[in-house]
Amino acid sequence: MQPFDIVSTDILILGSGGAGLFAALHAHDADPSLDITVAVKGLLGKCGCTRMVQGGYNVALAEGDSPERHFMDTITGGKWLPDQELAWKLVNTAVERIHELENELGCFFDRNADGTLHQKAFAGQTFDRTVHKGDLTGIEIINRLSEQVWARKIKRLEEHRAIELIPAADGRSIAGIMMIDLRSGKYRLVRAKAVLLATGGGPTMYKFHTPSGDKSCDGLAMALRAGLSLRDMEMVQFHPTGLLAGPDTRMTGTVLEEGLRGAGGYLLNGNHERFMHNVDPRGERATRDVVSRGIYAEMRAGRTTPNGGVYIQMSHLGPDKVRKQFKGMVERCADCGFDLAGGLVEVVPTAHYMMGGVVFKPDCSTEWSGLFAAGEDTGGVHGANRLGGNGVANSTVFGGIAGDTMAQWVQGRRLLDYDAERARQAIEAADRPFSLPAGDLHALRERLADCMWDDAGIVRDKAGLERAAARLETLQDELLEVGVADGNRAYNLTWQDWLNLDSLLHVSKAIVHAALAREDSRGAHFREDYPEVRDLENSWFSVIRMQGGALQLERRPVAFTRVSPGQTILTEEEAST
Ligand SMILES: Cc1cc2nc3c(=O)[nH]c(=O)nc-3n(C[C@H](O)[C@H](O)[C@H](O)COP(=O)(O)OP(=O)(O)OC[C@H]3O[C@@H](n4cnc5c(N)ncnc54)[C@H](O)[C@@H]3O)c2cc1C
């Protein structure tokens, strides 16, 4: 077995997105004497999706808006599947968090002439509540968060990839994380009293996808292998407007933000006709799932642009206004030869976000003692559909809560002895490709991308999902026979690609398994063979666990702790405005 070294810390945070960095700051501020380590696959402040946030941050601040209204939008947008206590926590703590971001961390968001924060329209919301910094909000948030982390005595393990949760002897308490130091290729066990899983999910197994390249669902794959419960895994959100610039650029799939449709942008098919009003009375401002399906229907009908998608048009709003309001988007499109302000840009639905993830409680604890989770690695906050703007609110709200909880939790606790056999198995599994003849990982990856897009994508049915399940088994078998050519482990990107594929295959199987089980259509999950939304009052959510290498699914009833389908917590007056 390859050797590994051991380091220890009180609190280990995996990931440096909004969730990870907020957790680090809150834990440190709660108890500056704690030894806190942020371990991240990339460089702190330079990786993950929070940095890529364009549109903004949902929070009920303006007169006439309220957390209750935000809550109702989140629940109805999520098609009554969200965990209502998690959603409640989200909408209420977002108010505190946005003030923290501005007043304690130094973020500058756009303002109205009267000095109040400017809040823009996002689809599926009854109020304009999306706080932003132009259309590059994530860079503002992550830069300020990173500066604050750098300014404190918080340790960093950059270019460190977590590969396995290592339990204590009881198998249900965290003892540490096995990692690879990407710079040397050496294994390192980081022992910790508390660990936060904040690796940010990210459906990069689809042909068109938006998340950052460092994300390959590692956290979810680790959780699955550890036997933890994952919920709502069938719920994969497609953003309707991914840039479509042909197959030869990685810019294809990257997102053109929702604010474009919110501001009044039109979608046109290849015949230059608007089509969204034939699908939904809200037209282009319908929720993401509806718009993605509307576009996909045009694609299936062959009414497409040269690259096979549809167009977005903004020019009717006035090119100068568009250039001013959506500077980042205009520049991104220009880089790919499109004129967003004055012309037409080709777009395609693109896999954006996973509503599903690790089952967790409002205090961010999980089934394992000492293991906490926050951000996109978790499930339950958004149910069947995430509202645009609720993603970064989710990661910062629950990241902060996780930091507070962990700082308290570690008091008086000691490091647990780790299960040496599990540590050995983790290294053996990750090291496997070095003992095999090299193969074509790229081709495997392409086949995975096609499989998920064709058979487990925007529109699903039983036959397609069963085909996907079989194709995934074949791909997994093939991956286990493919090695990497270069025995040098330092910065061995082929090896990292192998590990990425392994994670993506694990999580793809969970998506397909859950999608087969849900025989109705809800939010992002649309079954062509079961197109109706059924039986809201008896809603259940899927919970998947891996046991003995096989996936097991359980249907758990949704607890309508605050409001039941068809009802509202708003007053009559609020509901009517
Ligand atoms: C292009 C784009 C635009 C978006 N726009 C918006 C928006 O306008 N509004 C909104 O609300 N949401 C938006 N989102 C969603 C939002 O970015 C996410 O919901 C949220 O930021 C996720 O935060 P996180 O901390 O959970 O994960 P991330 O910010 O993705 O961070 C994950 C971290 O984990 C690290 N990591 C991954 N694997 C490992 C591993 N094995 N070991 C160690 N570290 C690991 C990564 O390197 C990264 O640092 C957007 C997403 C994208 C991709």
Side-chain angles (χ1 to χ4, degrees), residues 325-401:
Q325 203 176 338
F326 298 102
K327 183 169 178 289
M329 297 297 99
V330 169
E331 285 169 6
R332 169 173 293 185
C333 291
D335 286 346
C336 296
F338 292 116
D339 176 8
L340 178 67
L344 296 174
V345 180
E346 289 185 63
V347 292
V348 68
T350 177
H352 188 46
Y353 189 92
M354 296 171 71
M355 276 69 78
V358 175
V359 172
F360 80 125
K361 296 207 178 113
D363 68 353
C364 295
S365 59
T366 70
E367 288 162 298
W368 274 23
S369 169
L371 180 68
F372 300 83
E376 207 177 321
D377 270 345
T378 61
V381 179
H382 314 291
N385 208 6
R386 172 181 71 92
L387 296 181
N390 268 2
V392 64
N394 174 39
S395 59
T396 54
V397 160
F398 287 102
I401 291 171

Side-chain angles (χ1 to χ4, degrees), residues 134-415:
D135 55 6
L136 298 172
T137 310
I139 292 181
E140 178 71 3
I141 292 177
I142 285 292
N143 283 358
R144 301 294 83 78
L145 280 170
S146 303
E147 287 160 6
Q148 295 294 332
V149 168
W150 286 326
R152 289 166 172 78
K153 284 197 174 128
I154 293 172
K155 292 182 182 162
R156 307 200 300 265
L157 287 173
E158 293 174 296
E159 298 187 302
H160 274 64
R161 176 190 191 126
I163 56 168
E164 213 69 277
L165 310 178
I166 306 297
D170 66 3
R172 296 188 62 79
S173 310
I174 193 81
I177 298 290
M178 186 58 78
M179 311 204 76
I180 297 170
D181 177 347
L182 303 182
R183 297 163 300 188
S184 64
K186 292 195 173 132
Y187 294 99
R188 173 162 294 141
L189 175 68
V190 184
R191 297 179 64 195
K193 296 172 187 168
V195 172
L196 178 69
L197 201 60
T199 67
T204 52
M205 65 283 277
Y206 286 88
K207 182 156 78 184
F208 302 109
H209 61 254
T210 68
S212 60
D214 48 319
K215 297 221 293 194
S216 49
C217 296
D218 296 341
L220 299 178
M222 288 190 288
L224 270 175
R225 287 194 295 266
L228 288 155
S229 300
L230 270 53
R231 64 172 284 176
D232 299 329
M233 288 303 288
E234 69 275 32
M235 301 301 176
V236 178
Q237 179 168 77
F238 285 81
H239 194 294
T241 52
L243 188 60
L244 184 57
D248 301 323
T249 166
R250 288 294 300 268
M251 291 299 283
T252 281
T254 57
V255 92
L256 296 183
E257 67 137 306
E258 184 138 314
L260 296 173
R261 285 181 295 117
Y266 291 163
L267 291 171
L268 310 176
N269 64 21
N271 303 334
H272 294 242
E273 301 151 343
R274 275 180 88 187
F275 53 90
M276 272 313 299
H277 280 285
N278 306 335
V279 178
D280 191 287
R282 293 167 295 180
E284 283 87 353
R285 283 178 75 163
T287 47
R288 292 176 174 182
D289 53 330
V290 174
V291 181
S292 292
R293 279 199 298 281
I295 296 175
Y296 195 61
E298 295 301 305
M299 290 166 69
R300 291 216 292 189
R303 291 187 286 272
T304 58
T305 59
N307 282 309
V310 299
Y311 295 111
I312 189 161
Q313 177 193 297
M314 301 298 292
S315 54
H316 56 280
L317 301 174
D320 286 344
K321 185 176 159 202
V322 175
R323 241 174 249 120
K324 185 158 175 252
Q325 203 176 338
F326 298 102
K327 183 169 178 289
M329 297 297 99
V330 169
E331 285 169 6
R332 169 173 293 185
C333 291
D335 286 346
C336 296
F338 292 116
D339 176 8
L340 178 67
L344 296 174
V345 180
E346 289 185 63
V347 292
V348 68
T350 177
H352 188 46
Y353 189 92
M354 296 171 71
M355 276 69 78
V358 175
V359 172
F360 80 125
K361 296 207 178 113
D363 68 353
C364 295
S365 59
T366 70
E367 288 162 298
W368 274 23
S369 169
L371 180 68
F372 300 83
E376 207 177 321
D377 270 345
T378 61
V381 179
H382 314 291
N385 208 6
R386 172 181 71 92
L387 296 181
N390 268 2
V392 64
N394 174 39
S395 59
T396 54
V397 160
F398 287 102
I401 291 171
D404 297 336
T405 308
M406 290 190 297
Q408 256 193 353
W409 197 87
V410 296
Q411 302 298 329
R413 294 188 189 260
R414 60 177 182 82
L415 291 169

